[in-house]
Amino acid sequence: MINVFDAVRDLLKLDAVCIDNNVFRLHYKATVVMLVTFSLIVTARQYVGDPINCLVDGVPNQIMDSYCWIHSTFTVTKKIGGRVGKDIVQPGVGPYREGEDIVKYHKYYQWVCFVLFFQAVFFYVPRYIWKILEGGRIRVLVNGLDDVMITEEQKAKGIKLLVDYFTDNLHAHNFYAVQFFVCELLNFVNVVAQMLFLHYFFEGEFARYGLDIFRFTDMEPAERVDAMSRIFPKVAKCTFERYGFSGTIQKFDGLCLLPLNIVNEKIYAFLWFWFLFIAVISGINMAYRTTVIISSRFRLVLLKMKSRLSRQDELFTIVENFQVGDWFVLYQIGNNCKPRIFRELVSNLAALQFNDNEDV
């Protein structure tokens, strides 16, 4: 368990050399840490505490608890609404006619801790793929230029190496950039797929879960139908069947408390809003990335924001001569350099490109 928490803590550390962006980190850092933490909380309460307590006459409590945990509990659909203490005992709990009234079985709670963990794994997959594809290129190119104690001699040598690198590899970075753009797309596809999966996992209830919570708070107390109680009931029914002394089947109608759902409902209420947030942010990022690919003027604006100390003509020269992949590698280097060093790199690259154009 300690090793797991150490791994989660390591995810929070900032990398010495940045090879992605803030939107990417929302997926593989913030979201992964949340999901793993939630999984550990649910696991601790599920396997260390007492996740279910059932009460029924004629069946020992321990046997009833184990039976209902394994075979699932259920709620009566027509008893979801109503005033607690007057119309109903608890949402979804009440008498029903077998085969006529609709009941909803709750089978998911044994799987919540595992689902949360595997969701964390899928959120980390694009990052893992990008690390393999990236291969440490930016770290090698930066080569100490991110060090605050760098000497003038080291700085000049590092800038010269970068200028020589771009000279020898100009227009050879498009595939590198495309790989990163595809990993960004995977992030967006993953979060949308996760939301669809949870909607299926909770039997068509998750898509409107957050909106239902808002609507619940605005309704009159006597008319409220708690969305969290509908998906995560704190009290549910369970029917235990066994043979009587004469060989006939006897049914025991039990009442079960599910204290674990107090935690589950809060976790998935938060995840509903969080997944929606990062889905919107990732969608905006995809629009941003599309604009970067098709608009050289937009790339010029971004490079100007990254290197405010550089002259306009220098930046224009670079954007005119660099393809999208070259621009992307240069921009990533700028994310890992001090502004003064990046300005000198831009000036050297612009001078080189300008001289090449004059020769032509």
Side-chain angles (χ1 to χ4, degrees), residues 62-72 238-241:
Q62 187 174 4
I63 294 177
M64 191 67 179
D65 290 351
S66 300
Y67 176 86
C68 295
W69 179 257
I70 295 171
H71 291 275
S72 76
C238 179
T239 302
F240 183 84
E241 298 177 351

Side-chain angles (χ1 to χ4, degrees), residues 191-225:
V191 67
V192 174
Q194 296 272 13
M195 296 173 73
L196 293 175
F197 166 74
L198 288 178
H199 187 62
Y200 169 79
F201 183 61
F202 292 120
E203 300 178 353
E205 296 282 359
F206 188 74
R208 60 180 185 271
Y209 185 47
L211 297 176
D212 286 346
I213 293 175
F214 274 126
R215 283 198 291 266
F216 169 76
T217 57
D218 292 335
M219 294 174 63
E220 293 295 328
E223 300 174 355
R224 289 179 178 177
V225 178

Side-chain angles (χ1 to χ4, degrees), residues 269-315:
F270 176 82
L271 288 180
W272 190 91
F273 291 103
W274 179 255
F275 284 176
L276 181 63
F277 168 72
I278 60 174
V280 171
I281 293 297
S282 299
I284 294 172
N285 183 66
M286 295 311 302
Y288 156 83
R289 190 59 67 193
T290 302
T291 307
V292 166
I293 295 173
I294 64 179
S295 174
S296 60
R297 180 172 296 184
F298 188 60
R299 294 197 294 273
L300 175 62
V301 172
L302 292 175
L303 195 59
K304 185 177 181 180
M305 294 172 62
K306 178 61 62 179
S307 183
R308 296 188 178 124
L309 301 176
S310 298
R311 299 200 314 267
Q312 181 78 13
D313 60 323
E314 293 176 340
L315 298 173

Side-chain angles (χ1 to χ4, degrees), residues 34-52:
M34 288 178 191
L35 290 171
V36 172
T37 302
F38 290 155
S39 178
L40 292 174
I41 292 172
V42 173
T43 301
R45 290 186 61 89
Q46 182 167 315
Y47 293 104
V48 177
D50 194 0
I52 188 170

Side-chain angles (χ1 to χ4, degrees), residues 125-343:
V125 165
R127 161 68 173 182
Y128 181 76
I129 294 174
W130 172 235
K131 284 186 69 175
I132 294 175
L133 296 176
E134 201 274 338
R137 178 178 300 200
I138 298 299
R139 181 182 296 275
V140 173
L141 291 177
V142 172
N143 193 27
L145 292 178
D146 57 334
D147 190 352
V148 295
M149 301 297 293
I150 190 172
T151 64
E152 288 295 323
E153 181 181 354
Q154 291 172 328
K155 181 186 72 175
K157 182 179 178 181
I159 291 176
K160 183 180 183 304
L161 288 173
L162 283 175
V163 171
D164 292 341
Y165 171 80
F166 277 105
T167 302
D168 296 336
N169 297 277
L170 195 63
H171 303 165
H173 302 102
N174 286 340
F175 185 62
Y176 175 85
V178 167
Q179 290 174 323
F180 179 75
F181 302 159
V182 170
C183 288
E184 285 188 311
L185 178 61
L186 284 178
N187 281 327
F188 177 68
V189 171
N190 175 67
V191 67
V192 174
Q194 296 272 13
M195 296 173 73
L196 293 175
F197 166 74
L198 288 178
H199 187 62
Y200 169 79
F201 183 61
F202 292 120
E203 300 178 353
E205 296 282 359
F206 188 74
R208 60 180 185 271
Y209 185 47
L211 297 176
D212 286 346
I213 293 175
F214 274 126
R215 283 198 291 266
F216 169 76
T217 57
D218 292 335
M219 294 174 63
E220 293 295 328
E223 300 174 355
R224 289 179 178 177
V225 178
D226 190 352
M228 292 188 286
S229 293
R230 187 173 64 245
I231 305 177
F232 303 104
K234 271 72 75 178
V235 181
K237 293 170 67 66
C238 179
T239 302
F240 183 84
E241 298 177 351
R242 73 179 185 185
Y243 285 107
F245 293 109
S246 63
T248 58
I249 296 177
Q250 294 179 332
K251 294 186 177 182
F252 297 85
D253 193 23
L255 195 67
C256 295
L257 298 177
L258 301 168
L260 187 61
N261 275 347
I262 292 290
V263 177
N264 289 336
E265 67 178 14
K266 306 301 189 300
I267 287 176
Y268 282 102
F270 176 82
L271 288 180
W272 190 91
F273 291 103
W274 179 255
F275 284 176
L276 181 63
F277 168 72
I278 60 174
V280 171
I281 293 297
S282 299
I284 294 172
N285 183 66
M286 295 311 302
Y288 156 83
R289 190 59 67 193
T290 302
T291 307
V292 166
I293 295 173
I294 64 179
S295 174
S296 60
R297 180 172 296 184
F298 188 60
R299 294 197 294 273
L300 175 62
V301 172
L302 292 175
L303 195 59
K304 185 177 181 180
M305 294 172 62
K306 178 61 62 179
S307 183
R308 296 188 178 124
L309 301 176
S310 298
R311 299 200 314 267
Q312 181 78 13
D313 60 323
E314 293 176 340
L315 298 173
F316 182 79
T317 299
I318 287 179
V319 172
E320 283 294 303
N321 288 274
F322 277 28
Q323 293 181 353
V324 174
D326 306 315
W327 174 91
F328 175 71
V329 172
L330 179 63
Y331 194 83
Q332 290 293 81
I333 292 172
N335 287 333
N336 294 281
C337 288
K338 299 300 178 184
R340 177 176 57 86
I341 295 176
F342 190 60
R343 178 185 64 81

